Structures are given as C-alpha cells and as structure tokens.
Amino acid sequence: MLSACEHDLKNILDLEESTPPAITSPAANTQFELLAANASDNIVFEISLAQFSTTVATEYKLEVSGESTFTEASTIDASFNKQDGIFSTTVVNLNRALLALGFEPLEEADAFIKVVALVNSTSLTLASESLTIKVIPYKIAADGTTDDGTRIYMIGAAVPAGWNPDEAVEMVNIAPDTYRTTTTFTNERFRFFGQKDWNPISYNFPYFTSVPEEYFENARQPDREDGDDNLWFKGELGSYIITVDLGAKTITMTPASDDGTVDDGTRIYIVGAAVPAVGWDAANAQELVNIAPYVYRATVELENDRFRFLKQQDWGDGYNFPYFTGYVNSMLENALQPDREDGDENLWFKGTPGTYVITVDVEKKTVELDLPYSDDGTHIYLVGAAVTEVGWDAANALAMINIAPNRYRVTTEFEVDRFRFLKQQDWGDGYNFPFFTSVPEQYLENAFQPDREDGDENLWFKGPAGTYTITIDVEEKWITMY
C-alpha cells in the first residue's frame, strides 16, 4: 500500500470510515494573554489521534487562523509527542504565528486552532474541528524582541547624525523602557533624546546610574567646554551595539563584529551522509553558530548525498527540504527523487564535493551555500533610492563585504525603487542591470521601463519592501536575494 499511487491508496483508505483527530485541551474560549516576559513559557494542546480505516503512516501539524474557515492559516512551530498526543509550543511561537496572520498587537481577538493529520506521501488529510481561543498578542520587532512602538534617539558629534536632529540615530524598543541600536562611534560627545528634535525630553550623562566606564564619561571636563553634561565616547573608534534601559538608568555596549554578526548563544545542527565528518550520528551533529536573529552558519565538508538540520543533537525536531520555502541554493534539492528512497524528504547536496559555508535562516526559511570566506578587504557599494539607509549619497554608499573571490554580500532594508552598485564611494565605475546575466526575477528588474525615466538602466527593486540579504558575484555576474 505504501508504494501505491494516491488513487490506489484512496481505494484502500476510506476517509469516511476514518475518525478525524480532536483537540481535547484546552477548553474552548480559554484566554491567552501573550506577554513578552513569558515568551519562552510552554503552551500545550492535547489531542486524540486520528483513527484511519487502515494502517497508514501519518504526520500531524497544528494550525491557527483568524477565521473559522481557515482560508488563511499559519502552521504553529511546535513539537509533537505522538505517543502522548501532546503538541508543545511557546508563547513567542504562537505570538509570531498570530502576527503573521495580521492579528493586532495588544488587542483581544478570537483565534481558531485545529490539528491536521497528513497521510505520508499523499495529499490526504483529516482535520479536527476548530477550537476557539481568546488571544492578546504582543508586538515583536524584526529581530524577535518586543517592540511597543516607542523610540529614543542619539544626537551628537560622536555618532553619524552629528548635531542634526533630523538625522538622529533611532533606537528601537526591545523590552519595557529598553532600547537598542547598532551604530558607529567616534571620540566626541552626544546625548539621548525622546524625540527627533531638541525638546522636551533628553537624557544626559548624570541621568544614568550605570555606564560602561571603558566607553563613556561625562563630557564636562576641564579640557572641554560642555555645560550640558553630555556623554563623551572615549573608546576605540568603530561599530557598537548599544542598549539603554531608561527604567534602570543603565547603558551597556558590545562591539559589533567586523562582519556585523551577533551570536545569541542558540544553535542548530547538521547531520547526514552528505556530511562525512558526522554521518547520521545525531549525538555528534555539527553545530551551526547563531550569527543574527534566527540565522545560523558553519563551514562544512559536503559530498553528494542527503542531510538535514536538527534543533538539537538528537533525533527530536528538525528541518527538512520542504521546510525551506524561501531561497534555497541551486546546489541543493529534495532527496525524495525517483532514483532514491528518501521518505523523510531530506536535503540532497548535488554540487561539487568540497568545503562550503552554509547559512540557514529558520525564520525566512532559506539555505545559502558559499565557498569558504576569504575577505580580501575589497568592497562593492550599494546606492540608490531603493536602499533606504543610503539613498543617492554616493559618499555614504553602503559597503558590501567580500566573502569569497569576486563575491560580496550585505543585509539591508530595501523599498520599491531603483539602485545600482559602485566600485567605490563616489560616482566612478559601477554595475547596472545589464551587467548581470542572472538576477532574482521576483525582486529585481531593469529600471529602464516605459513608465520610468531611467537612462542609466539601474536595477529596480520591486518588492515587497523589507530586510534582505543581497549577494553579488562580479565575475560570474549573478545576484541572489533572500
């Protein structure tokens, strides 16, 4: 039966004689006030399994929707103990699923939950009746931290804004009364403001009860005229992650790494025959290190075979090929092929065996493969109205870091408009749309269109607006975005 086609399976499996799964706990109309402070707390849904008319292999998933018809639904990131019939998720995972569906933060609403039983290798499913729960989601920033919508700002000669409040460095709320940003500092003075102008709220050095002394001191010193008691940055010039807690009146600083990566301490793991150093030994699965929110990276030896990612160094939850619905490198494919037996739909590496840098974004559901990084110190630069951080200011064009010979990458915000690449931070040589022989058509096109005046044939970003990782190879003349 398991090797039969779906039509044959339907003749054996009678769904009308089968019993769908059911959610047995919690009770209908249970209220869930989702709080950032409880983000890691467990939420448990107990179910009774589906009873099919014949023995079949099944998988289960938990879905949520804003409507009882489930016209639009999200799958909740949850672990499932089939033996006990228990789905376990976390407050933050349910919260993310709700926000993805457009639920309004801080407003109570009805959410509809159902469990779906899927018959392996077919499109056959049995779904439970929906359970209505009451939810109050909280806001989440792009990096997964909380965001109540408030902002504070940095102004002064020590930061890129200078003393121009219109260009103030924005700090995003990440927790109650707490704000964070990454920016560059030079040895000069600055202060914090509650708005992008000079009145009425500001915070100077005496406001804070704890600051990192290796980085800051009161700008009011015998050798400096500073009657406003601003903060003076005295550390090494460079890029830093700065966090301000206005409630506790503290400032913390961490140097940003050269490539902009940040490690939150979490890990995922790679295992499989394609990784000869590991094989299928989950206990020794190779770790991928966190480099940004939800993004993980490792250098691995790959050969032509299958592999998958694990959330831990055992055979619990993981990620297979179908999970990655975003960008997947062309050297990878689904291991479930006519010439291979792979019911788990692992990933199959089909490129040239060797050493690769593998980068996984479990939120955007992308997998990238690169040759080992070898930063030669060169840069390519991004400039244009589509690059919200820069605009058309060539002198401040955004640097793309060299990651391999002739290959450059950066992560930044894009909006619908035109842009181009420069070889330097001025209007000398550069690369426009015709230079490239391969671009992601869902995101980029030639800006030279009948409805646009663009004689320079810039690249046009056609959206949707948001944060993207863009990579270019100026020798092979391709671009990827995800």
Side-chain angles (χ1 to χ4, degrees):
M1 180 196 70
L2 294 179
S3 62
C5 68
E6 184 177 319
H7 176 73
D8 293 333
L9 184 58
K10 288 180 180 177
N11 292 335
I12 299 171
L13 173 60
D14 188 345
L15 292 182
E16 293 185 0
E17 295 297 321
S18 302
T19 303
I23 301 175
T24 59
S25 177
N29 296 311
T30 297
Q31 185 180 64
F32 292 86
E33 184 177 8
L34 308 176
L35 301 173
N38 302 326
S40 61
D41 287 0
N42 279 335
I43 297 176
V44 173
F45 293 90
E46 298 180 12
I47 74 163
S48 60
L49 299 179
Q51 301 297 318
F52 290 96
S53 63
T54 188
T55 302
V56 291
T58 57
E59 294 181 0
Y60 288 80
K61 64 179 179 178
L62 198 63
E63 292 187 345
V64 61
S65 178
E67 50 197 2
S68 59
T69 57
F70 280 77
T71 304
E72 185 177 359
S74 287
T75 298
I76 302 172
D77 186 3
S79 61
F80 181 51
N81 184 321
K82 194 171 185 178
Q83 182 175 351
D84 296 333
I86 293 177
F87 271 102
S88 296
T89 187
T90 58
V91 167
V92 69
N93 284 344
L94 177 57
N95 200 76
R96 286 194 186 107
L98 295 171
L99 295 184
L101 290 168
F103 279 71
E104 288 295 326
L106 309 181
E107 293 186 11
E108 184 178 82
D110 287 342
F112 301 90
I113 306 287
K114 72 177 180 181
V115 60
V116 180
L118 304 89
V119 180
N120 285 2
S121 303
T122 79
S123 60
L124 301 177
T125 62
L126 272 181
S128 69
E129 293 185 0
S130 66
L131 170 73
T132 305
I133 61 174
K134 306 289 186 181
V135 294
I136 304 176
Y138 63 90
K139 291 187 76 171
I140 296 180
D143 64 355
T145 54
T146 62
D147 181 2
D148 65 9
T150 61
R151 301 290 185 264
I152 64 171
Y153 303 89
M154 298 169 64
I155 303 173
V159 294
W163 292 105
N164 181 1
D166 291 336
E167 301 294 330
V169 177
E170 180 181 85
M171 302 189 70
V172 175
N173 174 259
I174 62 165
D177 300 316
T178 307
Y179 302 83
R180 177 176 295 157
T181 194
T182 300
T183 191
T184 56
F185 283 85
T186 190
N187 298 138
E188 254 287 357
R189 69 205 77 204
F190 74 100
R191 68 169 44 212
F192 301 96
F193 286 79
Q195 62 288 311
K196 292 179 76 170
D197 59 49
W198 292 101
N199 292 296
I201 302 170
S202 69
Y203 310 94
N204 61 1
F205 187 90
Y207 175 85
F208 296 96
T209 57
S210 176
V211 302
E213 295 180 358
E214 69 270 32
Y215 296 124
F216 297 123
E217 65 183 11
N218 193 324
R220 191 173 185 180
Q221 301 289 335
D223 60 337
R224 305 177 207 132
E225 294 181 4
D226 193 294
D228 292 328
D229 287 326
N230 288 298
L231 296 102
W232 183 276
F233 177 75
K234 60 181 182 179
E236 299 253 344
L237 279 62
S239 182
Y240 291 83
I241 301 168
I242 181 169
T243 304
V244 174
D245 188 326
L246 295 178
K249 299 185 178 181
T250 63
I251 301 174
T252 58
M253 289 269 286
T254 304
S257 60
D258 291 340
D259 61 359
T261 60
V262 179
D263 182 0
D264 65 8
T266 61
R267 299 291 185 263
I268 65 170
Y269 302 86
I270 186 171
V271 66
V275 191
V278 176
W280 291 106
D281 184 0
N284 291 312
Q286 183 176 343
E287 71 174 18
L288 280 77
V289 175
N290 176 259
I291 63 165
Y294 314 113
V295 183
Y296 301 85
R297 178 173 293 158
T299 300
V300 297
E301 292 287 334
L302 292 175
E303 59 184 35
N304 300 136
D305 213 312
R306 70 206 75 205
F307 69 95
R308 70 190 293 119
F309 300 101
L310 301 174
K311 294 183 180 180
Q312 60 290 305
Q313 283 182 309
D314 61 44
W315 290 110
D317 288 346
Y319 310 98
N320 61 359
F321 187 89
Y323 176 84
F324 296 99
T325 55
Y327 172 82
V328 176
N329 188 276
S330 60
M331 286 185 282
L332 301 174
E333 67 181 8
N334 194 324
L336 183 60
Q337 301 290 335
D339 61 336
R340 306 177 205 133
E341 294 181 3
D342 194 295
D344 293 328
E345 296 196 75
N346 290 297
L347 299 100
W348 184 276
F349 175 69
K350 60 181 180 179
T352 302
T355 303
Y356 291 86
V357 176
I358 189 164
T359 306
V360 177
D361 188 321
V362 297
E363 183 179 46
K364 291 185 177 180
K365 300 183 177 181
T366 62
V367 185
E368 177 63 282
L369 287 178
D370 292 295
L371 297 174
Y373 291 173
S374 57
D375 187 356
D376 62 9
T378 63
H379 298 285
I380 296 295
Y381 300 88
L382 269 173
V383 67
V387 188
T388 55
E389 184 178 340
V390 177
W392 290 107
D393 184 0
N396 290 312
L398 182 63
M400 301 181 71
I401 295 172
N402 176 258
I403 62 168
N406 305 303
R407 195 168 297 179
Y408 301 85
R409 176 173 293 156
V410 74
T411 299
T412 190
E413 295 279 338
F414 281 85
E415 62 185 13
V416 178
D417 214 312
R418 71 206 74 205
F419 72 99
R420 70 190 292 118
F421 302 95
L422 300 174
K423 294 182 181 180
Q424 59 291 307
Q425 285 182 309
D426 61 43
W427 291 109
D429 289 344
Y431 308 100
N432 61 1
F433 186 90
F435 174 83
F436 296 96
T437 56
S438 175
V439 303
E441 295 180 358
Q442 71 270 39
Y443 298 127
L444 301 178
E445 67 182 12
N446 195 325
F448 189 44
Q449 302 287 337
D451 60 336
R452 306 177 206 132
E453 294 182 3
D454 193 293
D456 293 328
E457 296 197 76
N458 290 298
L459 298 102
W460 182 274
F461 176 75
K462 54 185 179 181
T467 301
Y468 291 83
T469 297
I470 184 167
T471 307
I472 69 170
D473 191 304
V474 296
E475 182 177 37
E476 298 179 5
K477 300 183 178 181
W478 53 252
I479 303 174
T480 64
M481 292 186 75
Y482 57 86

